[in-house]
């Protein structure tokens, strides 16, 4: 286990996670604003999980945390951190299975990761981007303290259309001022 919260374990992915990851990432509603296309075939999920399992959260590049619910041991989603080469900045991304949304798990996981990045690893800044129509993602980012810094109209070609991106940022100084539970 890498990080722990009241209800969650944020751990490294393991090969047995592939079928569950394939199931939740194959939901068109979950994939709607993401870079992949549903359905995710079993072999792609297995390759992805192998790649995630080999990652190192201390090294630059993406590291994907598996979000596991303590109550039932189930994988409920994933949270990615892209550590910059300078190790002072990072980008966040997150996905929850549709049936696990609306319970505060993404907020809890994001706060644990932000606490680790800012308070233990001394990062200066964390960024995030999302489709301007992705209201759940916007709510989540604002809830954990991100501030909107930009709006890029028709910036990303995804699933057959140009989409607007919202840019968010959170500085260490602001994180230190937030009263996080
Ligand atoms: C983005 C995403 C992770 C947000 O998930 P979410 O379930 O809305 O976020 P949380 O898990 O933090 O849950 C928060 C909600 O649970 C509610 N909630 C219920 N019980 C709760 C509890 N015990 N504690 C905290 N919140 C609770 C909150 O009130 C909140 O609802 P609201 O947004 O209507 O106010 C999810 O929509 C998702 O996976 N989308 C598909 C993938 C995607 O687009 N990712 C983003 C790419 S940028």
């Amino acid at each position: 286990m890498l990080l722990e919260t009241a209800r969650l374990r944020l751990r490294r992915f393991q090969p047995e996670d592939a079928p569950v990851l394939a199931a939740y990432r194959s939901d068109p509603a979950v994939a709607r604003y993401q870079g992949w296309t549903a359905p995710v075939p079993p072999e792609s999920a297995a390759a992805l999980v192998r790649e995630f399992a080999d990652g190192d959260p201390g090294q630059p590049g993406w590291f994907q945390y598996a979000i596991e619910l303590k109550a039932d041991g189930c994988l409920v989603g994933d949270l990615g951190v892209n550590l910059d080469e300078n190790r002072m900045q990072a980008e966040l991304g997150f996905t929850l299975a549709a049936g696990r949304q609306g319970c505060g798990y993404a907020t809890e996981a994001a706060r644990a990761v932000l606490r680790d990045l800012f308070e233990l690893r001394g990062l200066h800044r964390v960024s995030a981007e999302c489709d301007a129509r992705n209201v759940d993602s916007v709510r989540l980012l604002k809830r954990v303290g991100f501030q909107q810094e930009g709006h890029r109209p028709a910036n990303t070609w995804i699933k057959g259309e140009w989409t607007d991106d919202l840019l968010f940022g959170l500085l260490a100084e602001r994180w230190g001022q937030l009263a996080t539970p």
Side-chain angles (χ1 to χ4, degrees):
M1 192 200 349
L2 299 165
L3 297 170
E4 187 176 9
T5 70
R7 296 181 294 172
L8 308 170
R9 286 186 201 94
L10 271 59
R11 58 162 176 81
R12 188 178 287 279
F13 268 90
Q14 50 205 34
E16 304 75 57
D17 294 323
V20 180
L21 178 121
Y24 68 74
R25 287 196 171 206
S26 290
D27 180 337
V30 170
R32 175 82 179 90
Y33 302 118
Q34 298 278 38
W36 72 81
T37 305
V40 176
E43 56 278 14
S44 305
L48 209 51
V49 163
R50 272 199 301 278
E51 190 187 313
F52 293 166
D54 283 347
D56 181 343
Q59 294 300 318
W62 280 103
F63 180 79
Q64 215 75 19
Y65 290 91
I67 306 174
E68 182 183 289
L69 198 59
K70 283 180 179 174
D72 57 13
C74 287
L75 175 70
V76 297
D78 54 86
L79 191 155
V81 178
N82 186 12
L83 185 63
D84 193 274
E85 287 290 334
N86 67 15
R87 296 168 197 256
M88 299 291 284
Q89 291 167 260
E91 184 187 347
L92 281 195
F94 27 72
T95 302
L96 282 184
R100 304 297 194 156
Q101 295 177 15
C103 303
Y105 298 142
T107 301
E108 199 168 311
R111 284 191 175 130
V113 167
L114 289 168
R115 195 171 298 124
D116 180 57
L117 293 173
F118 285 126
E119 298 176 21
L120 294 175
R121 296 164 64 182
L123 261 70
H124 161 70
R125 171 188 172 80
V126 179
S127 307
E129 283 185 27
C130 72
D131 188 304
R133 299 166 298 178
N134 194 347
V135 292
D136 292 338
S137 182
V138 171
R139 266 207 307 277
L140 165 61
L141 288 167
K142 290 184 174 170
R143 193 183 298 124
V144 299
F146 280 86
Q147 292 178 304
Q148 190 179 324
E149 298 174 332
H151 182 158
R152 288 189 176 143
N155 184 60
T156 302
W157 176 259
I158 198 165
K159 299 187 169 82
E161 59 181 339
W162 286 107
T163 61
D164 290 11
D165 292 329
L166 299 184
L167 313 181
F168 288 88
L170 177 53
L171 289 167
E173 190 185 355
R174 177 170 160 81
W175 175 259
Q177 292 161 355
L178 293 170
T180 47

Short mmCIF file of all heavy atoms in Angstrom, two decimals, residues 4 7 12 29 34 45 51 54 60 69 79 81 104 118 123 125 128 132 134 136 140 155 173 175:
data_model
loop_
_atom_site.label_atom_id
_atom_site.label_comp_id
_atom_site.label_asym_id
_atom_site.label_seq_id
_atom_site.Cartn_x
_atom_site.Cartn_y
_atom_site.Cartn_z
N GLU A 4 -2.97 5.75 2.48
CA GLU A 4 -4.18 5.22 3.10
C GLU A 4 -5.04 6.39 3.58
O GLU A 4 -4.52 7.41 4.05
CB GLU A 4 -3.78 4.34 4.30
CG GLU A 4 -4.93 3.62 4.91
CD GLU A 4 -4.48 2.68 6.04
OE1 GLU A 4 -3.30 2.75 6.43
OE2 GLU A 4 -5.32 1.91 6.51
N ARG A 7 -11.27 5.53 4.26
CA ARG A 7 -12.04 4.48 3.58
C ARG A 7 -11.29 3.77 2.46
O ARG A 7 -11.80 2.80 1.89
CB ARG A 7 -13.32 5.10 2.99
CG ARG A 7 -14.28 5.65 4.02
CD ARG A 7 -15.53 6.23 3.37
NE ARG A 7 -15.22 7.41 2.56
CZ ARG A 7 -16.08 8.03 1.77
NH1 ARG A 7 -17.32 7.57 1.68
NH2 ARG A 7 -15.71 9.11 1.08
N ARG A 12 -0.41 0.08 -5.50
CA ARG A 12 0.10 -0.21 -6.84
C ARG A 12 -0.89 -1.16 -7.56
O ARG A 12 -1.51 -2.02 -6.91
CB ARG A 12 1.46 -0.89 -6.68
CG ARG A 12 2.23 -1.11 -7.94
CD ARG A 12 3.56 -1.74 -7.59
NE ARG A 12 4.46 -0.77 -6.97
CZ ARG A 12 5.19 0.11 -7.63
NH1 ARG A 12 5.15 0.14 -8.96
NH2 ARG A 12 5.97 0.96 -7.00
N ALA A 29 -20.00 6.18 -20.35
CA ALA A 29 -20.18 7.39 -19.52
C ALA A 29 -18.87 7.74 -18.82
O ALA A 29 -18.55 8.92 -18.64
CB ALA A 29 -21.29 7.17 -18.50
N GLN A 34 -12.55 11.22 -21.59
CA GLN A 34 -11.20 10.70 -21.42
C GLN A 34 -10.58 10.40 -22.77
O GLN A 34 -11.27 10.30 -23.79
CB GLN A 34 -11.24 9.43 -20.56
CG GLN A 34 -11.77 9.67 -19.16
CD GLN A 34 -10.70 10.21 -18.21
OE1 GLN A 34 -9.85 11.02 -18.60
NE2 GLN A 34 -10.71 9.77 -16.99
N ALA A 45 -6.46 -3.87 -21.40
CA ALA A 45 -6.50 -3.62 -19.96
C ALA A 45 -5.34 -4.32 -19.27
O ALA A 45 -4.68 -3.75 -18.38
CB ALA A 45 -7.83 -4.10 -19.38
N GLU A 51 1.74 -1.99 -17.30
CA GLU A 51 2.47 -0.72 -17.37
C GLU A 51 2.33 0.06 -16.06
O GLU A 51 3.31 0.56 -15.51
CB GLU A 51 1.89 0.09 -18.54
CG GLU A 51 2.65 1.32 -18.91
CD GLU A 51 1.86 2.11 -19.96
OE1 GLU A 51 1.37 1.51 -20.94
OE2 GLU A 51 1.71 3.32 -19.77
N ASP A 54 4.41 -1.37 -13.18
CA ASP A 54 5.86 -1.15 -13.29
C ASP A 54 6.26 0.27 -12.94
O ASP A 54 7.45 0.59 -12.89
CB ASP A 54 6.32 -1.42 -14.74
CG ASP A 54 6.41 -2.91 -15.00
OD1 ASP A 54 6.36 -3.68 -14.02
OD2 ASP A 54 6.50 -3.30 -16.18
N PRO A 60 9.97 10.84 -12.46
CA PRO A 60 9.18 11.63 -13.40
C PRO A 60 8.36 10.74 -14.33
O PRO A 60 8.77 9.63 -14.66
CB PRO A 60 10.25 12.40 -14.19
CG PRO A 60 11.41 12.49 -13.26
CD PRO A 60 11.39 11.21 -12.49
N LEU A 69 -11.27 0.09 -2.12
CA LEU A 69 -12.15 0.37 -0.97
C LEU A 69 -11.81 -0.61 0.16
O LEU A 69 -11.81 -1.82 -0.05
CB LEU A 69 -13.60 0.17 -1.45
CG LEU A 69 -14.69 0.78 -0.60
CD1 LEU A 69 -14.50 2.29 -0.50
CD2 LEU A 69 -16.05 0.47 -1.24
N LEU A 79 -6.15 6.81 -9.90
CA LEU A 79 -5.75 8.22 -9.84
C LEU A 79 -4.32 8.32 -10.35
O LEU A 79 -3.43 7.64 -9.83
CB LEU A 79 -5.86 8.73 -8.39
CG LEU A 79 -5.75 10.23 -8.21
CD1 LEU A 79 -6.44 10.67 -6.94
CD2 LEU A 79 -4.30 10.70 -8.18
N VAL A 81 -0.77 10.43 -11.35
CA VAL A 81 0.06 11.60 -11.06
C VAL A 81 1.19 11.62 -12.08
O VAL A 81 1.92 10.64 -12.21
CB VAL A 81 0.68 11.51 -9.64
CG1 VAL A 81 1.58 12.71 -9.37
CG2 VAL A 81 -0.40 11.41 -8.58
N GLY A 104 -17.78 10.44 -2.52
CA GLY A 104 -16.64 11.17 -1.97
C GLY A 104 -15.30 10.46 -2.09
O GLY A 104 -14.29 10.94 -1.58
N PHE A 118 2.45 17.65 -1.61
CA PHE A 118 2.84 18.95 -1.04
C PHE A 118 3.57 18.81 0.29
O PHE A 118 4.60 19.45 0.49
CB PHE A 118 1.59 19.83 -0.84
CG PHE A 118 1.05 20.40 -2.12
CD1 PHE A 118 -0.29 20.23 -2.47
CD2 PHE A 118 1.85 21.14 -2.98
CE1 PHE A 118 -0.81 20.76 -3.64
CE2 PHE A 118 1.34 21.68 -4.16
CZ PHE A 118 0.01 21.49 -4.49
N LEU A 123 6.30 19.41 -3.23
CA LEU A 123 6.05 19.99 -4.56
C LEU A 123 5.61 21.44 -4.46
O LEU A 123 5.04 21.87 -3.45
CB LEU A 123 5.00 19.16 -5.32
CG LEU A 123 5.63 18.17 -6.32
CD1 LEU A 123 6.33 17.05 -5.59
CD2 LEU A 123 4.60 17.64 -7.29
N ARG A 125 3.72 22.89 -7.11
CA ARG A 125 2.48 23.14 -7.84
C ARG A 125 1.93 21.85 -8.43
O ARG A 125 2.69 21.00 -8.88
CB ARG A 125 2.80 24.12 -8.98
CG ARG A 125 1.72 24.35 -9.96
CD ARG A 125 2.26 25.20 -11.13
NE ARG A 125 1.25 25.24 -12.16
CZ ARG A 125 0.20 26.05 -12.11
NH1 ARG A 125 0.06 26.93 -11.15
NH2 ARG A 125 -0.71 26.01 -13.05
N ALA A 128 -4.13 20.39 -13.30
CA ALA A 128 -5.09 19.42 -13.84
C ALA A 128 -5.83 20.07 -15.00
O ALA A 128 -5.97 21.30 -15.03
CB ALA A 128 -6.08 18.98 -12.76
N ALA A 132 -14.35 21.03 -20.65
CA ALA A 132 -15.18 22.07 -20.02
C ALA A 132 -16.57 21.57 -19.67
O ALA A 132 -17.25 22.14 -18.81
CB ALA A 132 -15.27 23.28 -20.94
N ASN A 134 -17.17 18.63 -18.38
CA ASN A 134 -17.05 17.59 -17.35
C ASN A 134 -17.28 18.19 -15.96
O ASN A 134 -16.37 18.42 -15.17
CB ASN A 134 -15.66 16.94 -17.45
CG ASN A 134 -15.57 15.64 -16.67
OD1 ASN A 134 -16.45 15.34 -15.86
ND2 ASN A 134 -14.52 14.89 -16.90
N ASP A 136 -18.57 17.10 -13.21
CA ASP A 136 -18.19 16.34 -12.00
C ASP A 136 -16.71 16.53 -11.70
O ASP A 136 -16.30 16.68 -10.54
CB ASP A 136 -18.48 14.84 -12.18
CG ASP A 136 -19.97 14.55 -12.24
OD1 ASP A 136 -20.75 15.39 -11.74
OD2 ASP A 136 -20.35 13.51 -12.79
N LEU A 140 -15.03 18.38 -8.44
CA LEU A 140 -14.02 17.68 -7.64
C LEU A 140 -12.76 18.54 -7.49
O LEU A 140 -12.23 18.72 -6.39
CB LEU A 140 -13.69 16.34 -8.31
CG LEU A 140 -12.43 15.62 -7.85
CD1 LEU A 140 -12.49 15.28 -6.37
CD2 LEU A 140 -12.22 14.34 -8.66
N ASN A 155 -9.56 23.11 -28.08
CA ASN A 155 -8.13 22.81 -27.96
C ASN A 155 -7.79 21.35 -28.20
O ASN A 155 -6.69 21.03 -28.59
CB ASN A 155 -7.66 23.21 -26.55
CG ASN A 155 -6.18 23.02 -26.36
OD1 ASN A 155 -5.39 23.61 -27.07
ND2 ASN A 155 -5.81 22.18 -25.41
N GLU A 173 1.47 26.95 -1.54
CA GLU A 173 1.10 28.00 -0.58
C GLU A 173 -0.40 27.96 -0.29
O GLU A 173 -0.82 28.04 0.87
CB GLU A 173 1.50 29.36 -1.18
CG GLU A 173 1.38 30.49 -0.21
CD GLU A 173 1.68 31.83 -0.87
OE1 GLU A 173 2.06 31.87 -2.06
OE2 GLU A 173 1.49 32.84 -0.18
N TRP A 175 -2.42 25.34 -0.79
CA TRP A 175 -2.71 24.08 -0.10
C TRP A 175 -2.50 24.24 1.41
O TRP A 175 -3.30 23.79 2.21
CB TRP A 175 -1.82 22.95 -0.65
CG TRP A 175 -1.98 21.67 0.10
CD1 TRP A 175 -1.15 21.16 1.05
CD2 TRP A 175 -3.07 20.74 -0.02
NE1 TRP A 175 -1.64 19.97 1.53
CE2 TRP A 175 -2.82 19.69 0.91
CE3 TRP A 175 -4.23 20.70 -0.79
CZ2 TRP A 175 -3.68 18.62 1.06
CZ3 TRP A 175 -5.09 19.61 -0.64
CH2 TRP A 175 -4.82 18.60 0.28
#
